[in-house]
Amino acid sequence: MRLVLYMHLSSVHTTLHLTQKVTVNSLRAAREFSSRMSNLLKIDIFPYSVFYIFFEQYLNIWTVALTNLAIALGAIFVVCLLITSSAWSSAIIVLVLVMILADLMGVMVVLGIQLNAVSVVNLIMSIGIAVEFCVHISHAFLMSNGNREQRARKALETMGASVFSGITLTKLVGVMVLCFARSEIFVHTGVLLSNVLGFGYHRLLAFGSFSYLSY
């Protein structure tokens, strides 16, 4: 008697529109059907398709994105707390970064950029870029003397121009080149990072206001 180690059965999907919702639902339906058949026949059955390699990232993309963003923000809070020795300053930096992330997600919705592996990486990169706008102003505020208004004004006067010319302009020129690339991945990266720089400088002013109201 010859033992059959494996068997391959072909099946097809109905015509799919390649949107995130449709592809995820099709993959989940195939896995649920395979799971039911496995329980019924008492054998291991799993679905496979070349396209599932690309669809699988969407199954847990929100969980992965939120987890990694939370880890990044938590790490920034810890590092800023160690450097500045100020819990308020570190909390304000994280708050401003959350505002920038909300702005970027809004841009993604307006431009129709789906949440996938590439956009998640871009969002995490954006946190690293945006934190530069806040840390310099925070340090200048903490090192300044006077009342809250004077310290906030002095921080923006001493570091505002440096941040604008040293971070915003230099990186913006390099990043905007990606917007004219032929690859859609590079275009989306360029668009998101360009908006990071724009929102980052805008939130830099908001950071000065938060610092004024919190100390």
Side-chain angles (χ1 to χ4, degrees):
M1 182 176 179
R2 189 174 182 180
L3 180 63
V4 178
L5 298 179
Y6 65 90
M7 182 179 294
H8 173 254
L9 298 177
S10 299
S11 62
V12 294
H13 283 288
T14 57
T15 303
L16 297 177
H17 299 285
L18 293 180
T19 62
Q20 184 172 342
K21 183 178 180 180
V22 173
T23 54
V24 169
N25 289 338
S26 65
L27 177 55
R28 285 176 176 167
R31 289 187 172 183
E32 290 175 1
F33 176 77
S34 299
S35 178
R36 291 198 302 267
M37 294 303 296
S38 296
N39 296 331
L40 180 63
L41 301 176
K42 304 302 180 182
I43 58 176
D44 293 331
I45 300 176
F46 63 91
Y48 171 78
S49 172
V50 175
F51 300 102
Y52 289 169
I53 300 174
F54 305 99
F55 295 170
E56 194 167 7
Q57 65 174 311
Y58 297 116
L59 291 177
N60 302 310
I61 192 66
W62 275 103
T63 302
V64 172
L66 294 178
T67 300
N68 284 278
L69 291 174
I71 292 173
L73 292 173
I76 289 174
F77 177 82
V78 172
V79 173
C80 291
L81 182 61
L82 294 175
I83 293 176
T84 63
S85 300
S86 173
W88 270 114
S89 177
S90 303
I92 293 174
I93 290 174
V94 172
L95 176 61
V96 173
L97 293 178
V98 171
M99 295 168 62
I100 294 175
L101 284 176
D103 292 333
L104 290 178
M105 290 183 179
V107 170
M108 290 174 62
V109 173
V110 172
L111 299 181
I113 301 176
Q114 295 184 352
L115 188 66
N116 51 38
V118 176
S119 56
V120 170
V121 171
N122 288 333
L123 288 175
I124 296 173
M125 288 171 52
S126 301
I127 296 178
I129 295 175
V131 72
E132 294 186 68
F133 294 94
C134 306
V135 171
H136 295 295
I137 298 297
S138 174
H139 184 264
F141 182 87
L142 293 174
M143 295 296 104
S144 301
N145 298 319
N147 56 33
R148 292 181 298 179
E149 181 178 358
Q150 293 173 342
R151 295 169 70 187
R153 185 188 301 274
K154 188 174 181 180
L156 292 176
E157 288 177 350
T158 55
M159 294 302 301
S162 299
V163 170
F164 178 73
S165 60
I167 298 177
T168 307
L169 293 182
T170 55
K171 290 186 177 179
L172 186 62
V173 174
V175 167
M176 285 186 63
V177 178
L178 297 175
C179 299
F180 303 98
R182 294 184 179 180
S183 173
E184 188 174 353
I185 294 178
F186 290 116
V187 173
H188 289 171
T189 301
V191 169
L192 289 178
L193 295 184
S194 298
N195 281 278
V196 169
L197 298 173
F199 290 133
Y201 189 74
H202 177 264
R203 297 307 181 193
L204 179 148
L205 303 179
F207 182 82
S209 301
F210 283 136
S211 300
Y212 169 74
L213 295 174
S214 303
Y215 284 88

PDB file of all heavy atoms in Angstrom, residues 16 52 65 69 75 88 101-102 116 118 129 132 161 173 196 211 215:
ATOM      1  N   LEU A  16     -11.270  39.335  -9.284  1.00  0.00           N
ATOM      2  CA  LEU A  16     -11.045  40.217  -8.152  1.00  0.00           C
ATOM      3  C   LEU A  16     -10.598  41.595  -8.619  1.00  0.00           C
ATOM      4  O   LEU A  16      -9.810  41.715  -9.559  1.00  0.00           O
ATOM      5  CB  LEU A  16      -9.966  39.632  -7.232  1.00  0.00           C
ATOM      6  CG  LEU A  16     -10.268  38.295  -6.549  1.00  0.00           C
ATOM      7  CD1 LEU A  16      -9.057  37.852  -5.740  1.00  0.00           C
ATOM      8  CD2 LEU A  16     -11.485  38.396  -5.654  1.00  0.00           C
ATOM      9  N   TYR A  52      -0.936  35.446  -2.990  1.00  0.00           N
ATOM     10  CA  TYR A  52      -1.070  35.473  -1.538  1.00  0.00           C
ATOM     11  C   TYR A  52       0.180  36.022  -0.861  1.00  0.00           C
ATOM     12  O   TYR A  52       0.111  36.548   0.257  1.00  0.00           O
ATOM     13  CB  TYR A  52      -1.362  34.075  -1.005  1.00  0.00           C
ATOM     14  CG  TYR A  52      -2.750  33.562  -1.330  1.00  0.00           C
ATOM     15  CD1 TYR A  52      -3.094  32.236  -1.117  1.00  0.00           C
ATOM     16  CD2 TYR A  52      -3.715  34.411  -1.849  1.00  0.00           C
ATOM     17  CE1 TYR A  52      -4.354  31.762  -1.404  1.00  0.00           C
ATOM     18  CE2 TYR A  52      -4.976  33.951  -2.157  1.00  0.00           C
ATOM     19  CZ  TYR A  52      -5.301  32.623  -1.934  1.00  0.00           C
ATOM     20  OH  TYR A  52      -6.554  32.169  -2.234  1.00  0.00           O
ATOM     21  N   ALA A  65       1.529  48.165  12.030  1.00  0.00           N
ATOM     22  CA  ALA A  65       1.805  49.602  11.941  1.00  0.00           C
ATOM     23  C   ALA A  65       1.687  50.277  13.304  1.00  0.00           C
ATOM     24  O   ALA A  65       2.599  51.006  13.727  1.00  0.00           O
ATOM     25  CB  ALA A  65       0.845  50.255  10.935  1.00  0.00           C
ATOM     26  N   LEU A  69       4.796  51.893  15.419  1.00  0.00           N
ATOM     27  CA  LEU A  69       4.745  53.323  15.708  1.00  0.00           C
ATOM     28  C   LEU A  69       4.771  53.572  17.216  1.00  0.00           C
ATOM     29  O   LEU A  69       5.433  54.500  17.685  1.00  0.00           O
ATOM     30  CB  LEU A  69       3.495  53.936  15.089  1.00  0.00           C
ATOM     31  CG  LEU A  69       3.473  54.017  13.556  1.00  0.00           C
ATOM     32  CD1 LEU A  69       2.115  54.513  13.066  1.00  0.00           C
ATOM     33  CD2 LEU A  69       4.579  54.917  13.046  1.00  0.00           C
ATOM     34  N   ALA A  75      10.301  54.693  22.402  1.00  0.00           N
ATOM     35  CA  ALA A  75      11.762  54.815  22.436  1.00  0.00           C
ATOM     36  C   ALA A  75      12.189  56.278  22.423  1.00  0.00           C
ATOM     37  O   ALA A  75      13.127  56.673  23.136  1.00  0.00           O
ATOM     38  CB  ALA A  75      12.366  54.081  21.247  1.00  0.00           C
ATOM     39  N   TRP A  88       7.933  66.498  31.115  1.00  0.00           N
ATOM     40  CA  TRP A  88       7.017  67.348  30.370  1.00  0.00           C
ATOM     41  C   TRP A  88       7.524  67.584  28.953  1.00  0.00           C
ATOM     42  O   TRP A  88       6.760  67.491  27.988  1.00  0.00           O
ATOM     43  CB  TRP A  88       6.850  68.692  31.090  1.00  0.00           C
ATOM     44  CG  TRP A  88       5.747  68.724  32.086  1.00  0.00           C
ATOM     45  CD1 TRP A  88       5.853  68.863  33.436  1.00  0.00           C
ATOM     46  CD2 TRP A  88       4.339  68.606  31.822  1.00  0.00           C
ATOM     47  NE1 TRP A  88       4.621  68.821  34.029  1.00  0.00           N
ATOM     48  CE2 TRP A  88       3.665  68.680  33.063  1.00  0.00           C
ATOM     49  CE3 TRP A  88       3.601  68.449  30.658  1.00  0.00           C
ATOM     50  CZ2 TRP A  88       2.280  68.596  33.175  1.00  0.00           C
ATOM     51  CZ3 TRP A  88       2.215  68.359  30.760  1.00  0.00           C
ATOM     52  CH2 TRP A  88       1.575  68.443  32.001  1.00  0.00           C
ATOM     53  N   LEU A 101       2.071  62.553  12.676  1.00  0.00           N
ATOM     54  CA  LEU A 101       1.599  61.278  12.125  1.00  0.00           C
ATOM     55  C   LEU A 101       0.143  61.379  11.693  1.00  0.00           C
ATOM     56  O   LEU A 101      -0.241  60.829  10.655  1.00  0.00           O
ATOM     57  CB  LEU A 101       1.761  60.171  13.168  1.00  0.00           C
ATOM     58  CG  LEU A 101       3.177  59.648  13.398  1.00  0.00           C
ATOM     59  CD1 LEU A 101       3.175  58.631  14.534  1.00  0.00           C
ATOM     60  CD2 LEU A 101       3.725  59.006  12.129  1.00  0.00           C
ATOM     61  N   ALA A 102      -0.679  62.070  12.474  1.00  0.00           N
ATOM     62  CA  ALA A 102      -2.081  62.255  12.090  1.00  0.00           C
ATOM     63  C   ALA A 102      -2.183  63.045  10.794  1.00  0.00           C
ATOM     64  O   ALA A 102      -3.016  62.730   9.921  1.00  0.00           O
ATOM     65  CB  ALA A 102      -2.841  62.962  13.219  1.00  0.00           C
ATOM     66  N   ASN A 116       0.460  49.937   3.512  1.00  0.00           N
ATOM     67  CA  ASN A 116       1.127  48.675   3.198  1.00  0.00           C
ATOM     68  C   ASN A 116       2.516  48.695   3.828  1.00  0.00           C
ATOM     69  O   ASN A 116       2.846  49.592   4.611  1.00  0.00           O
ATOM     70  CB  ASN A 116       1.189  48.442   1.689  1.00  0.00           C
ATOM     71  CG  ASN A 116       1.756  49.635   0.949  1.00  0.00           C
ATOM     72  OD1 ASN A 116       2.684  50.291   1.423  1.00  0.00           O
ATOM     73  ND2 ASN A 116       1.194  49.938  -0.216  1.00  0.00           N
ATOM     74  N   VAL A 118       5.430  49.352   2.604  1.00  0.00           N
ATOM     75  CA  VAL A 118       6.247  50.514   2.240  1.00  0.00           C
ATOM     76  C   VAL A 118       5.795  51.759   2.992  1.00  0.00           C
ATOM     77  O   VAL A 118       6.618  52.508   3.537  1.00  0.00           O
ATOM     78  CB  VAL A 118       6.193  50.749   0.723  1.00  0.00           C
ATOM     79  CG1 VAL A 118       6.969  52.007   0.340  1.00  0.00           C
ATOM     80  CG2 VAL A 118       6.751  49.549  -0.025  1.00  0.00           C
ATOM     81  N   ILE A 129      12.645  61.595  11.360  1.00  0.00           N
ATOM     82  CA  ILE A 129      12.949  62.897  10.757  1.00  0.00           C
ATOM     83  C   ILE A 129      12.277  64.026  11.541  1.00  0.00           C
ATOM     84  O   ILE A 129      12.880  65.074  11.807  1.00  0.00           O
ATOM     85  CB  ILE A 129      12.499  62.917   9.285  1.00  0.00           C
ATOM     86  CG1 ILE A 129      13.315  61.909   8.474  1.00  0.00           C
ATOM     87  CG2 ILE A 129      12.650  64.315   8.688  1.00  0.00           C
ATOM     88  CD1 ILE A 129      12.862  61.759   7.039  1.00  0.00           C
ATOM     89  N   GLU A 132      13.628  65.688  14.947  1.00  0.00           N
ATOM     90  CA  GLU A 132      14.688  66.708  14.923  1.00  0.00           C
ATOM     91  C   GLU A 132      14.140  68.104  15.118  1.00  0.00           C
ATOM     92  O   GLU A 132      14.789  68.962  15.718  1.00  0.00           O
ATOM     93  CB  GLU A 132      15.449  66.626  13.605  1.00  0.00           C
ATOM     94  CG  GLU A 132      16.249  65.358  13.407  1.00  0.00           C
ATOM     95  CD  GLU A 132      17.094  65.416  12.154  1.00  0.00           C
ATOM     96  OE1 GLU A 132      18.051  66.215  12.125  1.00  0.00           O
ATOM     97  OE2 GLU A 132      16.792  64.692  11.197  1.00  0.00           O
ATOM     98  N   ALA A 161      15.498  79.510  13.021  1.00  0.00           N
ATOM     99  CA  ALA A 161      16.135  79.706  11.710  1.00  0.00           C
ATOM    100  C   ALA A 161      17.093  78.568  11.382  1.00  0.00           C
ATOM    101  O   ALA A 161      17.179  78.113  10.231  1.00  0.00           O
ATOM    102  CB  ALA A 161      16.873  81.044  11.695  1.00  0.00           C
ATOM    103  N   VAL A 173      14.979  69.564  -0.429  1.00  0.00           N
ATOM    104  CA  VAL A 173      15.529  69.525  -1.789  1.00  0.00           C
ATOM    105  C   VAL A 173      15.883  68.093  -2.186  1.00  0.00           C
ATOM    106  O   VAL A 173      15.607  67.648  -3.299  1.00  0.00           O
ATOM    107  CB  VAL A 173      16.769  70.438  -1.889  1.00  0.00           C
ATOM    108  CG1 VAL A 173      17.427  70.271  -3.252  1.00  0.00           C
ATOM    109  CG2 VAL A 173      16.379  71.890  -1.667  1.00  0.00           C
ATOM    110  N   VAL A 196       6.313  65.495   5.640  1.00  0.00           N
ATOM    111  CA  VAL A 196       6.900  65.458   6.987  1.00  0.00           C
ATOM    112  C   VAL A 196       7.649  66.749   7.263  1.00  0.00           C
ATOM    113  O   VAL A 196       7.525  67.348   8.335  1.00  0.00           O
ATOM    114  CB  VAL A 196       7.855  64.253   7.132  1.00  0.00           C
ATOM    115  CG1 VAL A 196       8.654  64.365   8.425  1.00  0.00           C
ATOM    116  CG2 VAL A 196       7.071  62.965   7.148  1.00  0.00           C
ATOM    117  N   SER A 211       5.226  74.442  24.809  1.00  0.00           N
ATOM    118  CA  SER A 211       6.230  74.670  25.840  1.00  0.00           C
ATOM    119  C   SER A 211       5.853  75.869  26.699  1.00  0.00           C
ATOM    120  O   SER A 211       5.996  75.863  27.920  1.00  0.00           O
ATOM    121  CB  SER A 211       7.595  74.887  25.198  1.00  0.00           C
ATOM    122  OG  SER A 211       7.999  73.770  24.445  1.00  0.00           O
ATOM    123  N   TYR A 215       5.084  75.078  30.999  1.00  0.00           N
ATOM    124  CA  TYR A 215       6.124  75.323  32.003  1.00  0.00           C
ATOM    125  C   TYR A 215       5.802  76.562  32.807  1.00  0.00           C
ATOM    126  O   TYR A 215       5.217  77.497  32.320  1.00  0.00           O
ATOM    127  CB  TYR A 215       7.484  75.503  31.305  1.00  0.00           C
ATOM    128  CG  TYR A 215       8.080  74.210  30.828  1.00  0.00           C
ATOM    129  CD1 TYR A 215       7.762  73.724  29.550  1.00  0.00           C
ATOM    130  CD2 TYR A 215       8.959  73.483  31.600  1.00  0.00           C
ATOM    131  CE1 TYR A 215       8.306  72.541  29.100  1.00  0.00           C
ATOM    132  CE2 TYR A 215       9.521  72.306  31.164  1.00  0.00           C
ATOM    133  CZ  TYR A 215       9.188  71.838  29.901  1.00  0.00           C
ATOM    134  OH  TYR A 215       9.727  70.670  29.440  1.00  0.00           O
TER     135      TYR A 215
END
